[in-house]
Amino acid sequence: MLASGRSRLQASRSVLPKQCSHTTQASNTFKAFYATVRGLRDVAPPEDEPDPAANDFILSILKANPSIRDTKSYLASFGPRALPTRQKTGIPPDLTLPPLPTTASRDVTQLQQTSPKPSPVISSILNPVYRRTALVKLQGPFTDRQLESVTRGMVYLEKLGLVSVIVVELDNWVRGEPGEKTAVLEETMRIVSALEKQGARARPVLQAAVRLGPKPNDTPPPEGGFDVPEAHTFPSDLVSIRSALRAGEIPVLPPIALDSFCRSVRIHSNDVIAALARGMVEAVGSSGAAGHKTGEPAAQSEEEVDLTPLRLMIINREGGIPSYARSGLPHLLVNLSGESEYIQETFHPSWKTTHPTALSNLSLARTCMAYMPPTSSAIMVSHRSPKSLIANLITNKPELSSSLPHALLQNNGKLTEHTPTILRRGSPVRVVRTLADLNKTKMKALLEQSFRRTLDEEAFYARLEKCMDFAIIAGDYAGAAIVTNESAPGHAQPIAYLDKFAVLPKHQGDGTVDFLWVALHDESYGLGLSFSVNPNGGKQGKGEGRDLVWRSRVDNPVNKWYFERSTGHMRMGDWVMFWCDAEKHLKTEEGRRGSAGLSYLESWETGRFATWADVVPKIPSSWK
């Protein structure tokens, strides 16, 4: 019995080290998995121990639900690139090695055949990618739990190739209070510690990276319309940031700058971020790196990070910019070139209490976007929605399209006070009402590139001379919507027909489509409603809305997009006819009936389908 008990004790002792070793190995694997971005890609936990953080990361990607176009766009920015060929060193070409023994050759062949091949999807997510930078304004104060959530989002973005350059800001900081600088540095170190707890490598950049005051010999920007940064930076000031990025570390900067006496003084983080946005772009341009003007990434070495900011992220407690059109819920997508001033004019006084920094952040985004590449974007997001950053990075779109029907957006559970606001540089949008105001050459190029067909120019413009109602032009003919008046037999009022809706291929995906459709809504079937005041010209929301009708080929891939924005559709042979009901008619009828609700067919709808079905198919083609 004693011998038997002793043998069991020895057996248990022999097992115990293995269990401890297994636990230690799992712990080390967990820590190694979070050690660096490269570790996140290269080191995987054992198959029998699924890592919850890795699962959460992949689920966040899947929830973004990227389309094929979104995926191609992401890979174009972050996909691996061919590196410059290097001179290979090692075995001279004239040196021949003896053949391997037969057994060794057989073992190598068997090992190659039995080695598991990773899934292409997993490989595309976890393999090293082209690394680019994002400027992040971390606008607290945040609790430890909130900061944990935010920093986890930063780590996820780093996995996907977007490295954050973080500038710290606290809303409760008071300028000039005793111990101000100490409080700034303590908060900086707190964020560094929070990042490291999430497995990232972070570096506090405590020396000033920007200089107070305008840049010497600076000239007014050619574009105008934005606030010039009140600080500046030179390429030599960015050495610490470059060093941190090359070392695989996230730089965290306090909002300090050097004044004219070379003293470190605290300034607002908006001035630091605006100066960095300009300075980082100019630093890349001065170094001669390709792609800094167009936003197209160039080949880079394994240690290098593209310093040109691709994203501006404002993470705060307020969320996005409230919109009068959504009863105070956030704007989904903002055209900075055409909507900034109007947003400021329609900003409700009560929002200055609930969203005190919304307008200053809007101004910051406009300034930064003026220097950043046209493909870049900004996002204003609450700390409650850190995973929205992943969706925006992959798709470069808002969570919900701003061009969806207003009623659908208002009743959508996804639209909450924490829904992020996406801001794009965009293009000015204007409304013209005569053919003489159109540039026929540019319009022809736009239509032919968009539809990939040859325009029958003479017949097309001869027709518009007779029946054009208005045209909406985005930018320098980056997109256009043309609406005509089609006469209907037996009806005094003509049909509002969307003759052309076109966007240049290079602008498809940059928000131009949504900007154009929202302006079309405000000028046609949405006219007359309080939230349909187009700030870009036209009738300024005054008038009566009209039903808008258009047709599309049954095999047109854009039809899915039309289905989501139309009130209804009807198949007519090789065509699909779409329409959008005049929203003011529906609102008026709904108010008149009260609790009785709308009927299936209102009096003003009687006979309109038959009229449309008679007129629309007879409209001549514009193509040769």
Side-chain angles (χ1 to χ4, degrees), residues 42-122:
D42 298 337
V43 181
E47 294 183 0
D48 58 341
E49 294 184 16
D51 186 76
N55 292 341
D56 182 56
F57 169 56
I58 295 177
L59 284 175
S60 299
I61 296 175
L62 296 177
K63 288 180 180 179
N65 193 23
S67 64
I68 296 177
R69 176 181 292 173
D70 296 334
T71 305
K72 290 181 178 179
S73 177
Y74 168 78
L75 292 177
S77 296
F78 294 93
R81 264 159 195 81
L83 297 176
T85 56
R86 300 178 180 178
Q87 183 69 29
K88 294 184 178 180
T89 59
I91 303 175
D94 57 346
L95 178 62
T96 58
L97 296 176
L100 290 172
T102 305
T103 55
S105 177
R106 188 185 304 115
D107 292 341
V108 171
T109 304
Q110 184 178 4
L111 180 62
Q112 293 175 345
Q113 293 175 349
T114 58
S115 298
K117 295 182 179 180
S119 165
V121 176
I122 300 298

Side-chain angles (χ1 to χ4, degrees), residues 96-340:
T96 58
L97 296 176
L100 290 172
T102 305
T103 55
S105 177
R106 188 185 304 115
D107 292 341
V108 171
T109 304
Q110 184 178 4
L111 180 62
Q112 293 175 345
Q113 293 175 349
T114 58
S115 298
K117 295 182 179 180
S119 165
V121 176
I122 300 298
S123 297
S124 64
I125 293 175
L126 300 181
N127 278 348
V129 293
Y130 185 89
R131 297 190 297 161
R132 309 191 75 173
T133 54
L135 278 171
V136 180
K137 177 184 177 182
L138 211 53
Q139 181 181 337
F142 299 120
T143 65
D144 291 342
R145 183 69 178 271
Q146 293 167 350
L147 190 57
E148 177 186 352
S149 176
V150 171
T151 52
R152 185 183 299 117
M154 298 292 99
V155 173
Y156 287 172
L157 291 175
E158 194 179 16
K159 290 189 201 180
L160 293 170
L162 191 68
V163 186
S164 301
V165 178
I166 299 175
V167 180
V168 181
E169 178 66 34
L170 292 182
D171 290 337
N172 58 1
W173 274 339
V174 179
R175 295 290 299 272
E177 66 178 357
E180 174 186 16
K181 190 172 181 181
T182 301
V184 169
L185 298 180
E186 286 179 353
E187 182 64 19
T188 302
M189 297 306 299
R190 177 172 175 255
I191 292 174
V192 169
S193 177
L195 286 166
E196 291 177 341
K197 287 180 180 178
Q198 294 301 320
R201 296 172 60 190
R203 179 190 298 185
V205 181
L206 303 181
Q207 69 272 26
V210 302
R211 301 166 187 261
L212 201 57
K215 196 168 186 177
N217 303 321
D218 199 8
T219 57
E223 295 184 13
F226 63 90
D227 297 329
V228 178
E230 296 184 6
H232 65 279
T233 185
F234 294 108
S236 59
D237 299 324
L238 303 176
V239 171
S240 298
I241 296 177
R242 284 183 181 273
S243 174
L245 295 175
R246 286 172 178 168
E249 299 171 336
I250 298 176
V252 183
L253 289 73
I256 58 176
L258 288 178
D259 64 7
S260 57
F261 297 99
C262 293
R263 297 175 302 187
S264 294
V265 296
R266 188 178 85 78
I267 63 174
H268 199 279
S269 61
N270 285 10
D271 296 326
V272 177
I273 293 173
L276 287 176
R278 179 181 182 180
M280 291 166 71
V281 171
E282 291 177 347
V284 175
S286 63
S287 64
H292 69 278
K293 292 184 178 180
T294 62
E296 293 293 334
Q300 70 177 186
S301 65
E302 191 173 332
E303 298 81 12
E304 192 66 34
V305 178
D306 190 343
L307 205 60
T308 307
L310 186 68
R311 292 286 191 278
L312 170 66
M313 300 179 182
I314 301 172
I315 305 174
N316 55 26
R317 298 180 300 169
E318 304 171 14
I321 304 173
S323 168
Y324 76 97
R326 310 197 195 286
S327 302
L329 292 176
H331 279 276
L332 295 171
L333 181 64
V334 174
N335 180 355
L336 291 171
S337 297
E339 300 178 21
S340 296

Side-chain angles (χ1 to χ4, degrees), residues 552-555 569-577 579:
S552 177
R553 293 281 182 183
V554 293
D555 57 351
H569 66 278
M570 184 169 63
R571 178 76 177 263
M572 300 187 307
D574 294 335
W575 297 96
V576 179
M577 183 178 71
W579 70 89

Side-chain angles (χ1 to χ4, degrees), residues 372-383:
M372 293 163 63
T375 54
S376 60
S377 64
I379 179 172
M380 292 175 58
V381 60
S382 163
H383 64 84

